[in-house]
Amino acid sequence: MRAAVFGGGPGGLYFAISLKMRDPAHEVVVLERDRPGETFGWGVVLSDETRDNLYANDPVSADLIRQSFAYWDDIAVHYRDTVVCSGGHGFCGIARKRLLNILQERAASLGVELRFETEVKDPAEFADYDLIVGADGVNSRVRAAHADVFKPDIDVRACNYIWLGTHQKFDDAFTFIFEETPHGWIWAHAYQFDTDTATFIVECSEQTWRNFGFDRMSTEETIATCEMVFARNLGGNSLMSNAKYLRGSAWLKFKRVLCERWSYRNIVLLGDAAATAHFSVGSGSKLAMESAIALANHIHSEPNLDSAFCRYEEERRLEVLRLQNAARNSTEWFEDVERYFHLDPVQFNYSLLTRSQRISHENLRQRDPAWLAGAEKWFEKQATGRPPNVARPPMFVPFRVRGVELANRVCVSPMAQYRAVNGAPNDWHFVHYAERAKGGAGLVFTEMTCVSPQGRISPGCTGLYSDEHEQAWKKLVDFVHAETEAKIAIQLGHSGLKGSTQLGWETPDAPLIDGNWETIGPSCVAWSTGNPPPREMTLADMDKVRDEFVRSAEMATRAGFDWLELHYAHGYLMSSFITPLTNRRTDEYGGSLDNRMRFPLQVFHAVRKVWPDEKPISVRISAHDWVGPDGIQPQDAVAISRMLAEHGVDLVDVSAGQTSVEAKPVYGRMFQTPFSDRIRNEVGIATLAVGNIYEPDHVNSILMAGRADLVCLARPHLADPYWTLHAAADLHYEGVTWPKPYRAGREQLYRLKARAEAMTGKV
Ligand SMILES: Cc1cc2nc3c(=O)[nH]c(=O)nc-3n(C[C@H](O)[C@H](O)[C@H](O)COP(=O)(O)OP(=O)(O)OC[C@H]3O[C@@H](n4cnc5c(N)ncnc54)[C@H](O)[C@@H]3O)c2cc1C
Ligand SMILES: Cc1cc2nc3c(=O)[nH]c(=O)nc-3n(C[C@H](O)[C@H](O)[C@H](O)COP(=O)(O)O)c2cc1C
């Protein structure tokens, strides 16, 4: 086979080596526009896993690479005159130039033809080759030549960075340095990659970059400025650029590249040309080299290029996507880092370490148990004011708001049961909620409990608008207080335009087969084409609904609930006022966000007046309509939360969606937590996170990183009412209270777990 490889970076060279090794008869030429030894950038980081993969593929080059590695174990974070250092991270780095030299020599020794200083101008000139590999980097010309087929999606990210080097030693730790300057925050990612050189990537926001005047500076002036900014970490050493081969400024913005297809006829994309991963997860070279192995394997084993390309994509796409997801989280963390500058150094460091969501609380415990224990103690001290002797997982640290103290930070999220008759809670509700309160959660929410018969979602929804309802709820509240340490919250809501619909396990959101009642909303906008439009509310309707909320809040007070939540999410009445998708009013209750928030805030104030001072009110919102700019987006959720905070709401319960049938939510593990993170850290109000959070590790990571103050789990509590007690046992935490009659079960559970772990060798 005659193969032309465009680009002599790690991807192209390693592919050439891998193909030649599989069959020396292949004729392989690598075309590289630069001279050997010329390269942009300094060191690259590789993981243990990548080293193993390289060894298995080609021990000769792997050995040479290994001999050139610089190793380090710690991550040090310089921030606000402190240095927080954690261990166990295990990296190694190599000079990019050295890596390329090794690969060039190895390729030449295998008979690969290397043509340097050869710029591929028109890929069509290579039409007589059997195979064309586009390994020509992030700005790939081959990709551009067939953009209609590859369909690249290029996202130019917000921060500016410059890839510099220095002889200052950073050989004890991968180092992040955050500096506050009169122009704004600027930071560096630094690590050693050979005995006397370190990579030093400087990064900042566009605003800071302009404030510094970097847009008008030469590379030399930029370097001089960066040397001044980071002087206390450079020990008198200078910064160096090797970007003289780059056209234009040495400052860049990272380009995230995705392609719908990676191959076309006999052309295939590899490395950065096909997909990039942000440098803050240090995996671009790894991806390129591992993809090169896969491509060579499949070309060797498959009968034709079509099936080889197909297998190559099959094998690599998922891995690339996984890394790109982690890289996106990490990129966004740095882009939004100014949000976290109010955090204490311990929490800031934790947030940085867990930014990609690939490293969790328990991963950190494995890496550096002493550091994590210190961080857990810090968390407890700042929450309770008392320094603990022994660290405990963040989820078991009490939470206090107004006069209410929760024993821990796990909440049973509100979940409609659809079991009520005429709004009255019955034995089902008593057993259901009592079980979850016995299960150890710090706070148990009731389902959305409706303020009037008309305000019910379905005929099975609970209400709080009659004496019978009040008495039934009181019986439950009394039991929870008498028999458990849990606190219990009532969630009050009105269904609005999503009312008069079927039970959750029938056709949700569809009108009843018969017995429908009139629905109301801010405007005459129907939920879907299958639902009748609601009647547009008059001012008198609004007064009436406000008074119904007040009446229910008074009943909740008498029933003894500890906490009240207003349901302003999921497209129900209050939510339908907030989102422009369903609020088309032209009076003072529609239009601007101030206007759309007017009625929900009036209801909040009226409820707050009758709700006891010592008890908190949370408000659940939909932080994202998932419909693009026409609906609520996370930045709007920040504005909404800011208004709620200014009006005296204690916590925002950050949910999302269910406000439009057009919504295209992006699901995933903890998928709504970023909205909570943003609201908590930009507005400074306490939040509850919810949505696909199901492991104790998720809960601890969210809390410890300051992404929320409390965590709600819904479906996991349907599967396991004792979720919190079981989580405590999994974490070897003994401080949770089991109901007295169940103690024998507790002893057995802890004993069996200890025995199982001893047998599997786990601590
Ligand atoms: C600041 C920064 C830090 C990074 N740190 C790390 C890290 O620590 N670890 C890591 O694994 N990755 C890191 N990366 C990513 C890594 O550099 C890339 O992902 C990796 O180099 C991709 O390899 P590649 O072979 O696909 O592309 P490249 O390395 O970009 O190679 C492409 C080659 O093609 C040549 N070329 C382009 N167009 C033509 C043409 N028309 N004709 C001929 N030749 C052409 C170029 O000169 C270049 O040599 C970092 C990237 C940046 C920007
Ligand atoms: C059966 C069921 C009923 C629900 N009812 C309500 C409700 O009454 N009020 C509410 O705010 N959210 C309700 N939700 C949403 C949950 O509180 C939660 O936000 C959502 O299920 C995501 O959390 P999870 O991934 O832990 O399940 C309900 C969810 C389920 C599964």
Side-chain angles (χ1 to χ4, degrees):
M1 169 184 291
R2 292 184 72 224
V5 180
F6 300 165
L13 289 169
Y14 205 64
F15 170 75
I17 292 170
S18 305
L19 192 67
K20 262 300 210 191
M21 284 181 62
R22 277 156 187 76
D23 186 350
H26 291 313
E27 200 182 311
V28 185
V29 57
V30 175
L31 303 128
E32 167 57 49
R33 67 175 167 212
D34 290 339
R35 287 193 294 253
E38 267 183 15
T39 185
F40 156 58
W42 298 84
V44 292
V45 185
L46 296 171
S47 66
D48 292 348
E49 188 198 3
T50 309
R51 274 179 293 165
D52 292 346
N53 294 339
L54 299 187
Y55 256 103
N57 185 57
D58 175 25
V60 177
S61 58
D63 236 352
L64 290 169
I65 293 171
R66 188 186 55 78
Q67 285 164 25
S68 305
F69 272 145
Y71 293 91
W72 66 96
D73 205 43
D74 292 352
I75 294 182
V77 181
H78 296 240
Y79 165 69
R80 293 202 183 282
D81 298 324
T82 61
V83 183
V84 177
C85 197
S86 59
H89 302 288
F91 294 102
C92 55
I94 180 171
R96 180 172 156 96
K97 204 170 186 173
R98 175 80 190 119
L99 174 70
L100 292 179
N101 284 345
I102 291 170
L103 298 180
Q104 286 159 3
E105 279 169 27
R106 176 68 175 144
S109 75
L110 289 167
V112 173
E113 184 191 344
L114 300 172
R115 277 190 222 155
F116 292 101
E117 297 177 78
T118 309
E119 171 124 17
V120 176
K121 294 218 167 66
D122 179 6
E125 285 170 18
F126 296 82
D128 57 334
Y129 279 80
D130 303 313
L131 168 69
I132 291 179
V133 179
D136 48 348
V138 61
N139 298 315
S140 169
R141 201 166 271 177
V142 192
R143 189 185 63 217
H146 301 288
D148 53 329
V149 184
F150 295 126
K151 297 211 170 71
D153 169 358
I154 299 171
D155 182 10
V156 181
R157 304 301 315 201
C159 287
N160 291 287
Y161 73 88
I162 182 165
W163 201 353
L164 302 172
T166 178
H167 293 307
Q168 166 67 357
K169 292 263 186 215
F170 288 101
D171 51 359
D172 47 354
F174 191 116
T175 303
F176 292 101
I177 305 160
F178 293 87
E179 287 290 351
E180 189 174 18
T181 75
H183 300 302
W185 283 84
I186 183 164
W187 54 94
H189 315 231
Y191 59 90
Q192 200 75 27
F193 61 80
D194 65 23
T195 44
D196 68 346
T197 333
T199 279
F200 200 91
I201 302 167
V202 177
E203 196 181 13
C204 62
S205 70
E206 176 76 16
Q207 188 59 55
T208 302
W209 189 71
R210 289 192 182 281
N211 293 348
F212 265 105
F214 284 132
D215 51 333
R216 299 182 301 275
M217 286 186 202
S218 65
T219 302
E220 290 68 31
E221 287 165 334
T222 284
I223 286 178
T225 307
C226 291
E227 282 169 352
M228 275 193 311
V229 170
F230 295 102
R232 42 184 191 158
N233 296 98
L234 288 173
N237 288 286
S238 52
L239 292 172
M240 306 173 282
S241 165
N242 60 6
K244 52 183 174 294
Y245 308 104
L246 275 185
R247 285 134 286 266
S249 163
W251 282 99
L252 292 172
K253 281 181 190 279
F254 183 79
K255 288 183 186 165
R256 196 274 289 118
V257 175
L258 301 172
C259 286
E260 215 171 284
R261 285 185 59 177
W262 288 358
S263 65
Y264 171 57
R265 296 192 186 139
N266 64 337
I267 306 172
V268 64
L269 300 180
L270 176 69
D272 276 7
T276 57
H278 191 252
F279 55 82
S280 60
V281 293
S283 297
S285 310
K286 160 203 159 75
L287 277 184
M289 291 168 82
E290 289 175 348
S291 289
I293 299 174
L295 182 59
N297 274 342
H298 295 305
I299 288 177
H300 186 63
S301 62
E302 291 298 308
N304 54 51
L305 284 184
D306 270 355
S307 59
F309 292 167
C310 206
R311 296 283 311 277
Y312 159 66
E313 277 203 39
E314 253 171 38
E315 181 185 329
R316 293 301 297 163
R317 257 198 193 275
L318 194 65
E319 172 66 11
V320 168
L321 210 72
R322 232 167 37 87
L323 248 163
Q324 281 190 320
N325 279 342
R328 188 200 54 227
N329 294 336
S330 178
T331 314
E332 286 175 359
W333 191 89
F334 282 103
E335 286 173 353
D336 297 330
V337 68
E338 306 204 357
R339 178 189 301 159
Y340 305 114
F341 286 138
H342 69 97
L343 295 179
D344 178 277
V346 176
Q347 195 160 40
F348 183 82
N349 197 55
Y350 186 98
S351 177
L352 171 63
L353 293 176
T354 54
R355 70 191 181 280
S356 75
Q357 293 191 13
R358 274 193 307 180
I359 297 176
S360 72
H361 200 71
E362 293 310 309
N363 295 144
L364 285 176
R365 196 187 303 286
Q366 276 171 354
R367 290 176 183 211
D368 192 340
W371 181 82
L372 191 75
E376 288 182 340
K377 284 185 184 172
W378 168 86
F379 185 86
E380 179 156 352
K381 180 166 182 277
Q382 58 84 38
T384 63
R386 295 181 297 274
N389 293 328
V390 183
R392 60 173 146 178
M395 66 191 261
F396 294 112
V397 171
F399 177 77
R400 196 172 183 83
V401 52
R402 292 194 183 238
V404 173
E405 180 161 290
L406 306 182
N408 61 62
R409 292 169 185 245
V410 180
C411 307
V412 176
S413 200
M415 276 180 290
Q417 297 297 296
Y418 305 103
R419 271 288 189 233
V421 178
N422 293 327
N426 52 38
D427 287 353
W428 174 269
H429 303 90
F430 185 85
V431 172
H432 171 75
Y433 291 114
E435 277 304 287
R436 271 114 200 116
K438 284 194 287 174
L443 183 65
V444 176
F445 280 96
T446 68
E447 63 207 272
M448 172 168 130
T449 296
C450 309
V451 295
S452 67
Q454 184 187 38
R456 289 172 305 158
I457 305 166
S458 76
C461 289
T462 51
L464 187 42
Y465 47 82
S466 77
D467 286 348
E468 184 196 357
H469 301 162
E470 186 182 316
Q471 290 318 310
W473 284 121
K474 184 170 186 321
K475 182 175 162 218
L476 170 69
V477 172
D478 288 346
F479 174 87
V480 171
H481 288 162
E483 296 289 354
T484 78
E485 284 189 353
K487 300 286 188 249
I488 181 157
I490 182 92
Q491 188 190 52
L492 292 181
H494 187 298
S495 55
L497 64 120
K498 287 176 82 178
S500 187
T501 59
Q502 299 179 28
L503 306 185
W505 50 85
E506 295 172 349
T507 310
D509 300 329
L512 299 170
I513 309 291
D514 56 6
N516 283 292
W517 59 85
E518 182 191 51
T519 57
I520 52 174
S523 310
C524 236
V525 179
W527 168 246
S528 77
T529 49
N531 297 74
R535 180 169 62 75
E536 180 170 317
M537 287 172 79
T538 61
L539 298 189
D541 289 322
M542 288 193 222
D543 288 347
K544 181 165 172 279
V545 168
R546 181 201 59 211
D547 293 345
E548 287 166 353
F549 269 93
V550 169
R551 176 183 61 190
S552 295
E554 285 168 340
M555 289 183 171
T557 308
R558 288 194 296 271
F561 279 102
D562 303 294
W563 183 299
L564 190 149
E565 175 158 288
L566 293 171
H567 194 350
Y568 286 9
H570 302 169
Y572 299 115
L573 186 63
M574 295 299 159
S575 164
S576 70
F577 266 87
I578 298 172
T579 170
L581 299 176
T582 40
N583 185 341
R584 307 277 165 80
R585 297 181 77 95
T586 51
D587 61 5
E588 72 269 34
Y589 293 95
S592 67
L593 181 63
D594 275 351
N595 281 358
R596 287 182 275 122
M597 286 293 287
R598 194 178 306 280
F599 180 49
L601 287 171
Q602 284 172 350
V603 170
F604 163 71
H605 280 294
V607 167
R608 186 67 264 183
K609 259 201 199 121
V610 299
W611 181 245
D613 248 8
E614 71 281 8
K615 296 186 182 183
I617 298 185
S618 56
V619 171
R620 178 168 267 209
I621 62 164
S622 282
H624 205 325
D625 286 338
W626 302 112
V627 296
D630 290 347
I632 297 292
Q633 302 196 84
Q635 62 271 26
D636 305 312
V638 171
I640 293 166
S641 303
R642 187 163 285 125
M643 292 169 87
L644 294 173
E646 283 165 3
H647 284 260
V649 168
D650 297 302
L651 304 98
V652 181
D653 183 352
V654 188
S655 185
Q658 299 177 52
T659 49
S660 166
V661 286
E662 307 293 332
K664 293 201 170 44
V666 182
Y667 294 116
R669 227 168 10 121
M670 305 183 265
F671 70 113
Q672 295 169 165
T673 302
F675 312 139
S676 160
D677 180 346
R678 184 162 178 183
I679 290 168
R680 183 178 189 274
N681 290 299
E682 286 187 19
V683 177
I685 188 169
T687 60
L688 297 94
V690 64
N692 219 11
I693 299 166
Y694 46 87
E695 287 180 4
D697 212 13
H698 301 161
V699 178
N700 285 326
S701 302
I702 290 168
L703 294 170
M704 188 68 226
R707 298 188 174 112
D709 298 86
L710 297 172
V711 177
C712 292
L713 290 84
R715 290 164 298 169
H717 276 116
L718 293 181
D720 181 2
Y722 299 133
W723 191 91
T724 306
L725 297 183
H726 292 154
D730 289 342
L731 295 169
H732 312 107
Y733 178 69
E734 307 219 349
V736 282
T737 307
W738 282 58
K740 284 196 188 84
Y742 296 176
R743 284 195 183 159
R746 172 194 185 281
E747 306 315 325
Q748 187 190 42
L749 179 70
Y750 277 77
R751 196 168 52 245
L752 291 177
K753 274 195 190 291
R755 196 180 296 163
E757 286 174 7
M759 282 174 71
T760 55
K762 238 178 106 187
V763 186

